[in-house]
Amino acid sequence: MGVRVSGVLLGLSVVVLAACATGPGAEVAQRAQTELVGMPKDRLLACAGVPERQASAEGRDYYTYVARPSGGYGPSSGLGIGAGGGSFGSGVGLGLGFSLPVGGTSTGCEVTVVLGRGGAVEQVSYPAGVSLSACAPIVENCVRSR
């Protein structure tokens, strides 16, 4: 019965990953799940950088990397000076600027990398339901450096 349940869970995982693997970069994120396995810790840190969060349990290290959505909004200010027609003017303005993602990720992603007792990558995992394209920026340098 345990083998049967494992097979069902594996099948569901493949379906979920296939449904989430859309957009540019999804292939890179999928490849990272196999190509990074065995990568030493120092190489991981060199290509992915310092993780946002770290945890250790049962002899394994868990590194969590975060890709934030591109685009956003926030306050902006400007200073304008104008002249023309024999007059001179100046002003200070305060506005609200925003940007829309164009060709970037519109959603964020957290990638968890598990390092085994020997300090090498054992697993790369993504949250369920996230577009793998959103995760690609985290792992693409590591896939390229392989």
Side-chain angles (χ1 to χ4, degrees), residues 7-8 15 28 33 39 44-45 47 55 59 64 69 108 111 124 127 134 136 140:
V8 169
V15 169
V28 171
Q33 290 186 299
M39 179 180 278
L44 173 69
L45 292 172
C47 66
T64 301
V111 176
V124 176
E140 65 188 348

Side-chain angles (χ1 to χ4, degrees), residues 4-30:
R4 187 173 180 195
V5 171
S6 296
V8 169
L9 290 176
L10 179 62
L12 286 174
S13 297
V14 169
V15 169
V16 167
L17 283 176
C20 295
T22 59
E27 179 189 345
V28 171
Q30 286 178 322

Side-chain angles (χ1 to χ4, degrees), residues 75-101:
S76 62
S77 61
L79 176 64
I81 299 175
S87 63
F88 179 80
S90 66
V92 176
L94 180 63
L96 183 64
F98 67 93
S99 63
L100 298 173

Side-chain angles (χ1 to χ4, degrees), residues 37-63:
V37 172
M39 179 180 278
K41 176 181 173 178
D42 59 342
R43 280 197 57 207
L44 173 69
L45 292 172
C47 66
V50 177
E52 185 141 332
R53 294 187 305 274
Q54 297 181 34
S56 295
E58 298 179 13
R60 288 182 168 74
D61 292 323
Y62 298 83
Y63 287 3

Side-chain angles (χ1 to χ4, degrees), residues 88-127:
F88 179 80
S90 66
V92 176
L94 180 63
L96 183 64
F98 67 93
S99 63
L100 298 173
V102 178
T105 60
S106 60
T107 61
C109 178
E110 289 193 9
V111 176
T112 301
V113 179
V114 181
L115 298 161
R117 297 180 195 278
V121 174
E122 286 186 348
Q123 181 181 7
V124 176
S125 61
Y126 309 109

